Amino acid sequence: MTSETPSRQPRRPRAVPSPASSPESDIVYDDILNLLGEQLGATAQDTTPARTAKRKLKGVTFEYEDDPRSVHSFAGGAGYSLASNWFTQLLPQLFIANGITKSQLCVFLYVAGGQRPGTGIAEYTQQEITDGLNGLAAKKPGAKKITRPTVNRAVRTLCEYKWLESAGNGRIRLNVTLWFQGNSAAQHEVLAQIAADHNNDPSAFPHRIGPEMVHHQEALDLNLDGEVPEPVRRKRTG
């Protein structure tokens, strides 16, 4: 007796539910995140380079192609950083899956943007981070403010994830495999120093990046219609 393989029925698309409200009162951090985004775009300029440049020399016109070594053009005067493509994809996936909170995202982006070029170090106390984020919020009338205890919890959690590390004396070391301002030679020097500081321990900072169980394939497999795998779902702490 033969059996027939049942035909595979096409999946009907699932309706995407409205975002669930958060115990941390998301509206507090919406204002700060919006302001961070506005600040990034406020000074943006046209970065499209001219195709050619003409120079005259005794009636002769020469055409020069774009110099591949020319510097990048970015908004603002604080320079720019290089970020891991994997990490910049992981951030929104974690956020949608409640793997990170808005307060943690605000704190991480603020610290990452304040690192000293070529060092992976940002010189901030937790009070300075609080004041800096609230300085952004103050630009929007009626915006809520972030509290120092919330920043403290966010920094502690980001250190557990090995995205940040305390470097002492009001300094925070960034995981430079995720986000780094500087060239590759400087990054390798920083990585060598970090390895020496941690006795070349493969389980220490900046390795084994958290949150636990959320890495490249697991993050890509997140079900974004609200069915969040148990290892990803976390209770918001601030």
Side-chain angles (χ1 to χ4, degrees):
M1 183 170 64
T2 60
S3 61
E4 294 183 1
T5 304
S7 60
R8 199 167 185 177
Q9 297 297 323
R11 281 187 171 182
R12 283 182 288 181
R14 293 185 178 183
V16 178
S18 302
S21 61
S22 164
E24 68 169 326
S25 183
D26 283 352
I27 193 170
V28 175
Y29 310 110
D30 284 340
D31 291 328
I32 295 175
L33 285 171
N34 288 337
L35 285 162
L36 284 169
E38 289 171 9
Q39 190 176 66
L40 286 172
T43 55
Q45 301 174 355
D46 182 7
T47 59
T48 305
R51 304 293 297 181
T52 57
K54 295 184 177 181
R55 301 178 185 176
K56 288 186 177 181
L57 176 64
K58 293 184 179 180
V60 180
T61 299
F62 295 90
E63 291 190 354
Y64 297 87
E65 292 186 355
D66 295 336
D67 186 347
R69 298 167 297 174
S70 61
V71 297
H72 296 77
S73 177
F74 281 90
Y80 66 95
S81 301
L82 300 177
S84 155
N85 288 339
W86 168 81
F87 183 62
T88 52
Q89 284 189 325
L90 180 65
L91 273 178
Q93 290 168 336
L94 287 174
F95 183 70
I96 292 171
N98 292 336
I100 56 173
T101 65
K102 286 184 179 180
S103 57
Q104 291 162 11
L105 184 57
C106 287
V107 168
F108 178 78
L109 292 176
Y110 188 83
V111 172
Q115 61 181 296
R116 283 193 284 112
T119 67
I121 296 290
E123 296 183 347
Y124 291 127
T125 64
Q126 293 179 11
Q127 185 61 54
E128 287 171 337
I129 296 171
T130 305
D131 293 342
L133 290 173
N134 286 332
L136 288 173
K139 296 179 181 179
K140 184 173 182 178
K144 300 293 182 66
K145 292 186 176 182
I146 194 169
T147 65
R148 167 69 181 271
T150 298
V151 169
N152 294 351
R153 290 193 297 270
V155 170
R156 185 167 60 249
T157 301
L158 292 168
C159 288
E160 291 172 0
Y161 292 168
K162 293 184 172 61
W163 294 4
L164 302 177
E165 180 184 57
S166 173
N169 299 319
R171 299 186 307 155
I172 299 174
R173 174 181 271 161
L174 222 75
N175 184 330
V176 298
T177 70
L178 304 180
W179 208 295
F180 183 66
Q181 185 175 358
N183 59 33
S184 59
Q187 187 207 32
H188 288 307
E189 290 178 5
V190 171
L191 284 170
Q193 182 60 56
I194 292 173
D197 290 346
H198 292 281
N199 298 316
N200 296 298
D201 182 355
S203 65
F205 184 88
H207 308 291
R208 301 191 180 217
I209 301 159
E212 192 67 26
M213 300 299 293
V214 182
H215 294 285
H216 186 64
Q217 190 56 48
E218 289 86 348
L220 292 178
D221 290 342
L222 292 178
N223 188 342
L224 300 184
D225 64 0
E227 297 294 327
V228 181
E230 190 62 33
V232 178
R233 191 185 292 114
R234 300 180 61 254
K235 181 179 179 182
R236 291 180 181 267
T237 57

